[in-house]
């Protein structure tokens, strides 16, 4: 069963118009996405692999930074708290953050680890040839963890919503999430979590957790084939994570949401799928801004569903503008 939409284009415009006055705190695993782009004209004589003739490099803020980038693209203000190393990639990441209107005061330097970097070799036709990861995924501890908590508490004082973006790269710890949940509860600020299942016990007290289809199946030990399965999985997930609500992103099958107020299922509105990279970041950024703007969770989920429908049609981590979101919503409002 896919429920009919309840969010009118007029209500969507009202909510999106409020985005510019809202601030989202994003805490989590920051990454630098590097794209080494070139042309392939032959196969190497040394091994059966393509030879890529370098053309140019592109850099983007990835991981938790891509959530923040999506918040900024939608018109919201954003604060970032996360880990970087003391290396060249850290300088590049800082520069990209500043270029995209993100503050850098929340960055904590850990000289014992590299700045997490995903280095992709991509052809000019947007075909990925290989990826090299630079990372140390040990959980932050001691002075580094305390610095993350201090930065998060400071930034929380003027946040309208908090997103915990967990990629299992070391920034997200049980103590950090507990401090965020406690501080947000004192200010009645929603906490949203993009999870990784090994940390499911960390997310107790969160307002909403947004697992994808595979993560929800892994956490609940059940197959999700239809909306009824998704509802049962959502109930189990809420019990396991001890969170208030869950939004399961289900790819071509849309999204399923459950909280104390009820359930809802949304059919996908994507016209075509080119690349799902970063779609979860777009979903949670839109969801956070929607809740910050006063939307009920089903309303915010519908906005997020439309935003996801846009970004999956683009290559690589992408963002959505307010105008694009409202245009898509107006065009497809009968299919949310």
């Amino acid at each position: 069963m896919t429920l009919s939409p309840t969010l009118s284009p007029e209500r969507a415009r009202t909510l999106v118009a409020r985005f510019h006055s809202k601030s989202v705190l994003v805490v989590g695993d920051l990454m630098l996405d590097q794209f080494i782009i070139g042309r392939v004209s032959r196969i190497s004589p040394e091994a059966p692999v393509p030879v890529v003739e370098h053309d140019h490099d592109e850099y983007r803020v990835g991981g938790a930074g891509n959530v923040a980038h999506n918040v900024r693209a939608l018109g919201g203000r954003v604060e970032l708290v996360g880990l970087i190393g003391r290396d060249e990639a850290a300088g590049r990441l800082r520069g990209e953050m500043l270029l995209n209107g993100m503050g850098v005061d929340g960055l904590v330097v850990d000289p014992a680890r590299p700045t997490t970097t995903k280095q992709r070799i991509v052809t000019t036709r947007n075909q990925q040839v290989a990826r090299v990861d630079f990372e140390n995924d040990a959980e932050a501890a001691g002075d580094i963890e305390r610095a993350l908590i201090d930065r998060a508490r400071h930034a929380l004082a003027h946040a309208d919503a908090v997103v915990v973006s967990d990629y299992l790269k070391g920034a997200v710890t049980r103590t950090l999430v507990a401090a965020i949940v406690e501080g947000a509860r004192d200010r009645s600020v929603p906490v949203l979590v993009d999870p990784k299942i090994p940390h499911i016990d960390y997310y107790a007290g969160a307002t909403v957790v947004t697992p994808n289809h595979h993560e929800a199946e892994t956490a609940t030990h059940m197959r999700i084939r239809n909306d009824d399965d998704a509802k049962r999985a959502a109930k189990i997930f809420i019990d396991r994570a001890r969170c208030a609500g869950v939004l399961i992103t289900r790819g071509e099958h849309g999204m399923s949401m459950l909280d104390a107020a009820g359930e809802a299922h949304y059919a996908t509105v994507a016209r075509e799928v080119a690349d799902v990279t970063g779609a979860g970041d777009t979903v949670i950024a839109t969801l956070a801004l929607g809740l910050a703007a006063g939307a009920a969770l089903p309303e915010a989920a519908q906005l997020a569903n439309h935003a996801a429908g846009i970004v999956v049609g683009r290559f690589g981590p992408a963002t959505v503008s307010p105008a694009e979101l409202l245009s898509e919503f107006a065009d497809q409002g009968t299919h949310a």
Side-chain angles (χ1 to χ4, degrees):
M1 176 182 64
T2 299
L3 302 188
S4 299
T6 58
L7 182 62
S8 68
E10 291 75 17
R11 175 63 171 161
R13 282 194 294 270
T14 297
L15 292 170
V16 173
R18 296 173 183 165
F19 285 2
H20 77 279
S21 65
K22 301 303 176 183
S23 179
V24 177
L25 168 60
V26 180
V27 181
D29 294 302
L30 288 167
M31 304 177 197
L32 178 66
D33 286 333
Q34 179 182 5
F35 297 85
I36 302 172
I37 300 171
R39 296 175 179 83
V40 175
S41 59
R42 61 194 176 98
I43 300 299
S44 171
E46 302 167 353
V49 295
V51 175
V52 179
E53 298 176 4
H54 179 263
D55 184 81
H56 67 283
D57 291 352
E58 292 182 6
Y59 296 90
R60 300 175 188 171
V61 181
N66 191 47
V67 178
H69 192 194
N70 274 270
V71 171
R72 288 290 297 137
L74 284 163
R77 301 192 303 272
V78 68
E79 295 274 353
L80 262 172
V81 172
L83 288 176
I84 59 173
R86 185 172 287 146
D87 51 22
E88 182 179 346
R92 176 74 68 173
L93 184 59
R94 283 178 184 270
E96 290 296 315
M97 288 172 60
L98 291 169
L99 186 65
N100 288 284
M102 307 174 200
V104 297
D105 291 343
L107 298 182
V108 174
V109 177
D110 183 353
R113 71 176 71 216
T115 300
T116 301
T117 303
K118 293 182 179 179
Q119 189 179 76
R120 298 173 176 89
I121 301 175
V122 181
T123 73
T124 51
R125 296 183 178 181
N126 290 337
Q127 295 174 315
Q128 187 172 151
V129 176
R131 193 179 93 181
V132 181
D133 289 2
F134 302 84
E135 65 182 41
N136 176 346
D137 61 4
E139 280 199 17
D143 291 342
I144 299 297
E145 183 184 40
R146 284 189 286 273
L148 286 169
I149 292 170
D150 288 345
R151 304 286 173 86
R153 282 174 171 161
H154 177 76
L156 183 56
H158 47 271
D160 299 298
V162 184
V163 173
V164 176
S165 181
D166 193 352
Y167 281 83
L168 292 179
K169 304 303 181 187
V172 178
T173 70
R174 185 189 301 272
T175 305
L176 173 63
V177 177
I180 290 169
V181 168
E182 180 183 5
R185 186 186 300 119
D186 291 343
R187 297 189 58 246
S188 299
V189 170
V191 176
L192 302 87
V193 180
D194 190 354
K196 283 292 181 283
I197 299 311
H199 283 176
I200 192 169
D201 294 334
Y202 291 14
Y203 311 137
T207 307
V208 59
V209 182
T210 62
N212 62 31
H213 182 96
H214 174 71
E215 290 165 340
E217 287 190 332
T218 300
T220 61
H221 306 293
M222 64 173 287
R223 297 293 299 274
I224 301 174
R225 299 181 178 88
N226 52 47
D227 292 349
D228 288 337
D229 288 345
K231 179 182 178 180
R232 287 192 291 272
K235 288 181 177 178
I236 296 170
F237 193 97
I238 287 173
D239 288 341
R240 277 211 61 193
R242 293 176 292 154
C243 57
V246 64
L247 178 71
I248 302 174
T249 55
R250 298 169 55 202
E252 74 228 33
H253 302 293
M255 300 180 179
S256 293
M257 184 221 80
L258 181 71
D259 68 358
E263 64 170 306
H265 306 277
Y266 309 100
T268 183
V269 296
R271 294 187 179 94
E272 61 181 51
V273 178
D275 191 348
V276 299
T277 303
D281 297 334
T282 300
V283 167
I284 202 165
T286 311
L287 198 67
L289 277 171
L291 294 178
L297 183 55
E299 294 178 319
Q302 288 176 60
L303 289 173
N305 191 35
H306 282 276
I310 296 170
V311 298
V312 296
R314 299 170 177 170
F315 175 72
T319 60
V320 179
S321 71
E324 287 174 321
L325 177 56
L326 290 177
S327 175
E328 179 78 4
F329 193 86
D331 290 343
Q332 301 188 30
T334 58
H335 302 311

